[in-house]
Amino acid sequence: MVADKPGSRSNSRNTGKKKKKRSPRKWFFGLFFTVVIAIICGIIGYLLIILNGERILSENAEKFVIGEPSVIYDANGVEVAQLVDQQNNRDSADYSEIPKQLIEAVVATEDQRFYEHSGIDLWAIGRALVKDVIARSAVEGGSTITQQLAKNMFLTSDKTFFRKATEASIAVALENKMSKEEIITMYLNRIYMGKGVYGVKAAAKLYFDKDLQDLELWEMATLAGMPKAPSRYNPLSNPELSKERRGVVLQLMYDQGLITQSEMEEAKAVDYVAPDNIEETDNNAYPAFIDYVVDEALKVMPDITEDELRIGGYSIYTTLNQQAQKAVEEEFADDSNFESSVDDQKVQGAMVIMDHSDGAIQAIAGGRDYVRKGLNRAQVQRQPGSAFKPIVSYGPALESGDYTPSTVLENDQRCFGSYCPKDAHGATPVTMLKAVEESRNLPAVWMLNQIGLSTGMKFAEKLGFEFEDQDKNLTIALGGMTKGVTPLQMATAYSAFANDGVSVEAHAIVKIENRAKNAVYKFKGSKGERVMKESTASYMTEMLQAVVQSGTGKKAAMNRPVAGKTGTTQHGLQGFDSSANRDVWFVGYTPQWTAAVWMGYDKTDEQHVLKNSSGQAAAMFSKVMTKAMEGMEKGSFSQAPSTPEPTPTPTKLAEVNGFTANFLPEEMKVQLSWNAAPGEGITYQIFRKEAEAASFEPFLDSVSGTTAEDINISLGMTYQYYVVAYDPATNSTSDPSATVTVEIPEAELEFPEVTPEPTPTPGDTVEPEIPPVVTEPPVETPVETPGEGTETPPPGTDSEEQPDQGDADNGSDPAAGSEIGVGEGDGIGIDTNQGVAVP
């Protein structure tokens, strides 16, 4: 008999206790009592939730209409505004007053299962949790309309009331005490609807000047889309975003079978127009600045709603300078500072003033009638015209170290690919200083072409600008952009020039405290980011001072040092033959503050264009800043480095002469010939244009001799030619030769049988019959070899011209499908789609 090995199963059975197996009966009772206990705990928990909700309702019912308004203070700690006027901002409606379709729109958007759940939608919560897990962040909420009402009703209570469990208990209690009709009515009367108003009844009056029962579908969908973000989606502040949000609501209604497709499409297409007799309910002073503060507060505290911010009892300390703000509002209220209009649609304007040492916004003008309209034009994108030249052309050129204000720039008429900018002063070369001072167009485009599109765009991006793919062409040198820029962006960008090359964060809020006076947000201070060399900023300031002293910005001069740049964009309206303008700008700075001024119509058409140029914006800058900075030291700008003597540009090759073109009917070809240009290794490029063609095209490249042939011709056609010489050793080209024209006969030539002719007697001459050669002056000038990011442009390319006046520097809105005007001084319309594309 073999003994068991230590650790064997037999040994373990002998040493351990035998394990008892549970019977099915015990398993059943164990599971049964577990389920019963769970049910009992659930019932107790549910009862506690209900009782807790009932208790909260009974103890805090009065808080439905009570809120502690948040207060805004200026830079000196003086109260300037309260965010809620409790007496005038609410207007309750009975259930019978609220259109059924409005209720359907709200339910379809906010809580599709509103009529099915009892305050808490477990299905929606589960769906939201799944999406949050997939996205690894909170991307969707599961709150019902009842829960939102519960949260809003007790906004002024202890913060623990916002915990989801307590919110749920209040929602369940509300469902037990009230009918669905009562809940939805209370919700629609209580919800914040932007611009300081609560409830759909007050909102209908504010935004549409209508009673609830008179609302159309598109108006109801607009209101239904606002509760998610009333400051962002209300049609007064953001008509385009409001229209997009309305489309989302209408699509949800259609998907749920509440409206037809034709009703949806019709309601989606309506453009919002604010009522003429609209009345702003917020009676606080400085509404544009206050609205900007609210927007900024919601960005720095993303976990609260605008409703919570407004009546949460917060103390918001800002950078507001009341002297500057009053100066802005006084001048914007003076009609004499603006062009008169043909009707009641006024010429509008916007202005931003900031301290460029720390980014503190001093004052904001959102428009002439901001209190009534509510559109903050300081944050609306416009075409900047020549005000963009320092940002994308001259600034990056100075930053490269290869150019200074005394560098001589090309200034002759030429084409860059199919883009042919022009201005009234295009002729002899000029220094960069003179080009900036007089807002020349051609040197700005030439400069961007030399440094390369990518270099210019990267410099602008460091200053806070973004570009669309279709912006990647030379038209941006003159401000031709797809979306444009805002006055706030322009002020921030120029502040880096003013601040010795350091960019700071523009901000309006210093600190936010809660009711307990504990800081819930503090601006940490902007240490600033160096975005350019100090020498670049100093050189730019030197040139921009010349603009104010003796250039296009003379009207901006005041009793202290000023530097700045004008900007004008042409109207860009198809088929409208006028030199009128769309936008005018002045962006400038003193040693302490930077400001941007824009003027123009909200909507440009043939009746609503600006007759004058950027001088009116420059004058507004001077008037406002003189008052705003009264009592401040004048200060001085940093001294710019000394600049060397102007460097002449490379000498061009001599123009090719002796150019002729003869049609040889026997061989059906055109024979071209010219005199050789001086120099070794010179090659030639021939350009040809058919009579009906819009522009010349390259025909032959790298011709080494002085003759060429064109055999690709057709009967009855007329052709024009010119030749350009190229020296590869110096990478330079000549001006175009004289243009010659050749006419090809319409009918085929019949050649008679050749018979011997008598030998001519001495003294006789026989001349061949050759079509005449017409010599014309050159059409266009050739193109310098382009810089980085451009294709080699053929000389002589045509472009459509559009005359201008004054110092108009023209660009317009490409999104409007119009031509972009270019630069101050000539106002030639350009098509942004014709720019030279970046590879």
Side-chain angles (χ1 to χ4, degrees):
M1 181 175 176
V2 180
D4 290 335
K5 293 181 180 179
S8 68
R9 294 182 64 187
S10 176
N11 188 51
S12 63
R13 280 197 303 267
N14 293 335
T15 58
K17 292 183 180 180
K18 187 175 182 179
K19 190 174 182 181
K20 294 182 180 180
K21 187 177 182 180
R22 288 191 178 183
S23 66
R25 181 185 178 86
K26 289 184 178 180
W27 274 108
F28 172 77
F29 281 109
L31 182 60
F32 173 78
F33 284 113
T34 300
V35 172
V36 169
I37 291 171
I39 293 174
I40 293 173
C41 290
I43 294 172
I44 293 174
Y46 183 73
L47 291 173
L48 289 175
I49 288 176
I50 294 177
L51 291 174
N52 188 44
E54 298 283 357
R55 178 184 62 81
I56 294 172
L57 280 178
S58 61
E59 292 179 358
N60 301 281
E62 76 282 357
K63 291 179 179 176
F64 172 62
V65 293
I66 296 177
E68 183 180 343
S70 296
V71 179
I72 292 180
Y73 300 88
D74 70 4
N76 296 318
V78 177
E79 179 180 329
V80 294
Q82 293 190 7
L83 290 185
V84 174
D85 179 353
Q86 293 293 336
Q87 301 302 318
N88 300 324
N89 293 30
R90 303 180 188 275
D91 193 359
S92 296
D94 294 331
Y95 180 77
S96 59
E97 294 181 69
I98 305 172
K100 178 183 177 183
Q101 207 165 40
L102 175 57
I103 295 175
E104 290 175 343
V106 172
V107 172
T109 307
E110 297 292 323
D111 184 4
Q112 296 178 20
R113 289 167 45 83
F114 172 68
Y115 293 104
E116 300 171 26
H117 62 67
S118 298
I120 306 172
D121 189 351
L122 297 178
W123 174 261
I125 293 173
R127 183 185 63 222
L129 287 174
V130 170
K131 290 188 177 182
D132 290 350
V133 170
I134 293 174
R136 297 185 179 181
S137 63
V139 297
E140 181 172 321
S143 294
T144 64
I145 283 177
T146 316
Q147 285 176 278
Q148 293 178 49
L149 176 60
K151 181 179 180 180
N152 290 333
M153 283 178 64
F154 304 103
L155 181 62
T156 59
S157 300
D158 187 84
K159 198 71 175 176
T160 56
F161 283 177
F162 294 126
R163 298 184 186 278
K164 282 292 182 182
T166 308
E167 180 184 295
S169 69
I170 300 172
V172 172
L174 285 170
E175 291 276 354
N176 288 334
K177 281 186 169 293
M178 303 169 66
S179 67
K180 291 291 186 180
E181 288 77 9
E182 291 173 321
I183 291 172
I184 194 66
T185 301
M186 184 178 290
Y187 174 80
L188 292 176
N189 283 325
R190 175 64 182 80
I191 195 68
Y192 181 65
M193 298 297 287
K195 304 304 294 179
V197 300
Y198 289 81
V200 293
K201 186 174 182 178
K205 199 68 177 175
L206 172 65
Y207 298 116
F208 307 112
D209 192 28
K210 289 185 177 181
D211 294 327
L212 284 172
Q213 60 267 27
D214 298 326
L215 292 177
E216 299 176 39
L217 174 60
W218 73 270
E219 294 166 326
M220 289 185 278
T222 299
L223 296 179
M226 289 169 53
K228 182 178 181 180
S231 178
R232 180 177 174 83
Y233 292 132
N234 81 73
L236 284 176
S237 298
N238 298 294
E240 294 302 321
L241 284 176
S242 175
K243 186 177 182 179
E244 291 178 13
R245 177 64 175 166
R246 182 210 311 163
V248 173
V249 174
L250 290 165
Q251 186 67 52
L252 288 169
M253 295 180 72
Y254 171 71
D255 292 342
Q256 296 169 49
L258 299 172
I259 57 175
T260 66
Q261 183 171 358
S262 61
E263 288 175 324
M264 176 183 69
E265 297 299 338
E266 182 180 354
K268 278 184 177 182
V270 181
D271 290 323
Y272 175 78
V273 178
D276 292 334
N277 61 340
I278 192 170
E279 293 184 2
E280 176 65 75
T281 59
D282 188 350
N283 295 320
N284 289 316
Y286 320 139
F289 193 95
I290 300 304
D291 280 358
Y292 184 84
V293 168
V294 171
D295 289 342
E296 186 172 310
L298 293 173
K299 291 178 182 177
V300 300
M301 296 197 303
D303 294 333
I304 67 171
T305 66
E306 185 173 344
D307 196 14
E308 292 171 328
L309 175 70
R310 286 182 173 272
I311 59 175
Y314 294 100
S315 297
I316 305 173
Y317 296 90
T318 74
T319 60
L320 175 66
N321 182 306
Q322 290 203 57
Q323 178 175 315
Q325 187 67 43
K326 288 177 181 177
V328 167
E329 297 194 359
E330 285 174 5
E331 295 302 328
F332 270 67
D334 186 347
D335 292 343
S336 66
N337 289 327
F338 297 84
E339 287 186 26
S340 59
S341 178
V342 295
D343 52 26
D344 58 356
Q345 183 180 339
K346 294 182 179 180
V347 174
Q348 278 296 341
M351 186 171 186
V352 177
I353 305 175
M354 62 180 289
D355 186 330
H356 47 246
S357 67
D358 60 4
I361 297 175
Q362 307 295 305
I364 297 176
R368 295 173 68 181
D369 49 1
Y370 184 84
V371 170
R372 186 168 66 88
K373 291 291 185 184
L375 176 64
N376 193 342
R377 297 166 183 87
Q379 299 184 83
V380 174
Q381 293 173 317
R382 312 283 181 178
Q383 297 300 312
S386 287
F388 212 59
K389 292 174 182 176
I391 292 167
V392 77
S393 288
Y394 299 124
L398 295 172
E399 184 72 3
S400 71
D402 297 330
Y403 303 90
T404 68
S406 62
T407 301
V408 177
L409 312 181
E410 292 286 354
N411 187 39
D412 55 349
Q413 305 289 355
R414 66 179 64 196
C415 294
F416 302 83
S418 58
Y419 173 35
C420 303
K422 298 179 182 179
D423 63 42
H425 307 288
T428 58
V430 293
T431 63
M432 185 186 295
L433 175 62
K434 181 62 67 174
V436 173
E437 178 184 338
E438 298 181 352
S439 198
R440 302 281 186 93
N441 289 341
L442 288 164
V445 179
W446 179 86
M447 188 77 267
L448 179 56
N449 192 54
Q450 291 297 109
I451 63 175
L453 272 170
S454 62
T455 299
M457 294 173 74
K458 286 177 182 177
F459 187 87
E461 286 167 354
K462 288 195 295 183
L463 295 180
F465 298 98
E466 296 180 355
F467 295 95
E468 302 294 315
D469 289 341
Q470 52 267 48
D471 291 333
K472 295 179 181 178
N473 59 72
L474 292 177
T475 62
I476 61 172
L478 308 181
M481 300 173 68
T482 305
K483 293 185 177 179
V485 299
T486 70
L488 180 58
Q489 284 180 304
M490 291 296 284
T492 304
Y494 270 65
S495 72
F497 296 131
N499 197 32
D500 298 327
V502 177
S503 179
V504 292
E505 181 183 351
H507 65 283
I509 297 178
V510 177
K511 179 177 62 175
I512 301 176
E513 294 179 344
N514 60 17
R515 288 189 207 85
K517 298 303 178 184
N518 296 321
V520 294
Y521 167 78
K522 281 186 179 180
F523 180 70
K524 296 179 180 179
S526 179
K527 297 180 180 179
E529 175 187 1
R530 178 159 293 282
V531 293
M532 69 186 79
K533 294 183 289 190
E534 187 172 350
S535 60
T536 298
S538 298
Y539 279 143
M540 184 61 68
T541 297
E542 174 189 327
M543 294 190 295
L544 295 182
Q545 281 185 279
V547 172
V548 176
Q549 292 165 359
S550 54
T552 59
K554 288 184 287 187
K555 291 184 179 180
M558 46 193 290
N559 61 347
R560 59 180 68 239
V562 178
K565 183 71 185 73
T566 52
T568 308
T569 65
Q570 280 189 334
H571 61 75
L573 299 172
Q574 294 276 354
F576 180 44
D577 185 14
S578 170
S579 60
N581 300 309
R582 176 188 295 261
D583 307 290
V584 297
W585 293 79
F586 183 82
V587 189
Y589 49 91
T590 70
Q592 297 87 6
W593 289 353
T594 300
V597 179
W598 166 84
M599 291 180 177
Y601 284 96
D602 287 335
K603 298 291 184 181
T604 301
D605 55 40
E606 294 185 8
Q607 296 298 315
H608 301 98
V609 290
L610 299 175
K611 302 177 183 66
N612 298 320
S613 192
S614 52
Q616 54 191 318
M620 176 66 81
F621 174 93
S622 177
K623 290 180 179 180
V624 171
M625 295 292 275
T626 298
K627 290 182 178 179
M629 303 189 74
E630 186 176 353
M632 294 179 63
E633 293 185 6
K634 292 184 178 180
S636 60
F637 292 120
S638 299
Q639 186 68 35
S642 58
T643 58
E645 290 299 316
T647 303
T649 53
T651 304
K652 288 185 176 181
L653 291 176
E655 178 182 321
V656 177
N657 55 39
F659 183 44
T660 62
N662 297 315
F663 172 56
L664 305 180
E666 297 87 352
E667 303 179 40
M668 273 301 290
K669 67 181 181 181
V670 174
Q671 182 72 44
L672 306 167
S673 65
W674 57 90
N675 296 332
E680 297 293 330
I682 304 297
T683 62
Y684 303 90
Q685 185 178 25
I686 312 298
F687 292 84
R688 186 184 82 164
K689 182 170 82 73
E690 295 181 5
E692 303 300 325
S695 61
F696 281 84
E697 298 291 341
F699 172 59
L700 294 173
D701 267 329
S702 302
V703 178
S704 57
T706 58
T707 62
E709 296 178 349
D710 182 5
I711 60 174
N712 187 24
I713 58 176
S714 300
L715 294 173
M717 296 294 294
T718 300
Y719 299 94
Q720 290 182 308
Y721 303 87
Y722 67 80
V723 62
V724 173
Y726 173 68
D727 185 355
T730 60
N731 195 31
S732 57
T733 59
S734 71
D735 286 331
S737 68
T739 301
V740 295
T741 302
V742 176
E743 297 177 357
I744 310 301
E746 293 185 5
E748 281 195 40
L749 299 176
E750 295 184 4
F751 301 105
E753 244 181 70
V754 178
T755 57
E757 294 184 2
T759 304
T761 58
D764 291 340
T765 59
V766 179
E767 304 241 352
E769 293 185 3
I770 299 176
V773 175
V774 181
T775 302
E776 297 178 359
V779 177
E780 293 286 349
T781 54
V783 183
E784 291 292 333
T785 301
E788 175 191 350
T790 64
E791 300 173 355
T792 302
T797 305
D798 293 342
S799 71
E800 296 182 6
E801 298 187 6
Q802 186 171 341
D804 186 28
Q805 64 183 38
D807 66 344
D809 46 284
N810 320 313
S812 69
D813 187 355
S818 59
E819 295 178 342
I820 297 294
V822 295
E824 284 173 24
D826 112 290
I828 301 301
I830 62 173
D831 186 346
T832 53
N833 293 322
Q834 293 182 351
V836 180
V838 175

